[in-house]
Amino acid sequence: MEKINIICVDDEREVLDSVSRDLAFFADVFNIEECESAIECLGLLEDLHADQEYVALVISDHVMPGKNGVELLTEIEMDNRFMGTKKLLLTGLATQADMVRAINYARLDHFLEKIWDPEELLQTVKELVTEFIVEKGLDHEDYAEKLDVKTLARLLGKP
């Protein structure tokens, strides 16, 4: 079974802790990684790539010191090593211009506002991880209990 990672990025420790708690459902199958800055995330991405591990999803806050979330997700989008990595912006402070940049340049897959509904976050991550696994041609049976059945059926063309 391939090593698949979900990375959460936020400069506020309590937010990271909360997101990780909400994603605990995935922790027995996927690695949940936490980063407190975009720079830390980029370093982790380098390490994961060197170890030939997959990054299914990056969940990022927008407003962070240094490089913001849209800049981070755009950089990931432009890096061919992470082609197919899903991107979710989780923030309460993005402007309309920020969102336009996130959609146009980062090819944002989903957006959730802080304060989020844990069930909505869980369902969104299920759908995005399912899309990643199918698009990468990985054996979805290995991850079946954590995937979204409807998304899987839609992508595999099954009723």
Side-chain angles (χ1 to χ4, degrees):
M1 196 156 84
E2 293 85 358
K3 283 197 169 190
I4 299 179
N5 296 275
I6 297 171
I7 302 174
C8 306
V9 188
D10 200 300
D11 60 317
E12 295 180 43
R13 171 47 51 193
E14 65 261 6
V15 174
L16 274 179
D17 291 344
S18 182
V19 172
S20 290
R21 263 192 317 276
D22 290 347
L23 298 181
F25 168 81
F26 298 101
D28 59 330
V29 176
F30 303 107
N31 298 326
I32 309 295
E33 298 283 352
E34 297 178 347
C35 296
E36 293 186 26
S37 71
I39 300 304
E40 184 182 347
C41 177
L42 292 170
L44 175 61
L45 287 167
E46 290 293 333
D47 293 343
L48 295 173
H49 176 72
D51 293 340
Q52 297 182 334
E53 294 185 27
Y54 288 99
V55 178
L57 173 64
V58 176
I59 301 170
S60 182
D61 181 27
H62 175 55
V63 178
M64 297 183 288
K67 199 176 288 253
N68 69 40
V70 173
E71 292 167 337
L72 169 64
L73 297 176
T74 299
E75 195 165 326
I76 293 167
E77 173 63 25
M78 298 176 120
D79 190 328
N80 288 336
R81 297 174 300 172
F82 303 105
M83 190 174 296
T85 294
K86 303 300 178 184
K87 295 165 294 300
L88 189 157
L89 193 63
L90 181 66
T91 189
L93 297 173
T95 65
Q96 182 177 4
D98 294 330
M99 292 308 300
V100 168
R101 279 192 300 280
I103 292 165
N104 290 342
Y105 299 109
R107 305 270 187 247
L108 193 65
D109 293 289
H110 207 89
F111 168 80
L112 289 175
E113 279 192 82
K114 289 182 181 174
I115 297 173
W116 63 91
D117 172 10
E119 288 301 316
E120 182 180 10
L121 177 63
L122 181 68
Q123 181 59 34
T124 299
V125 171
K126 277 184 179 182
E127 292 169 8
L128 293 174
V129 169
T130 302
E131 289 174 7
F132 176 84
I133 287 171
V134 171
E135 289 168 5
K136 286 292 180 189
L138 303 176
D139 184 0
H140 63 274
E141 295 297 326
D142 291 339
Y143 311 98
E145 67 186 61
K146 304 299 178 183
L147 302 181
D148 182 65
V149 176
K150 289 181 182 177
T151 301
L152 195 58
R154 177 179 53 83
L155 293 172
L156 297 176
K158 297 178 180 177

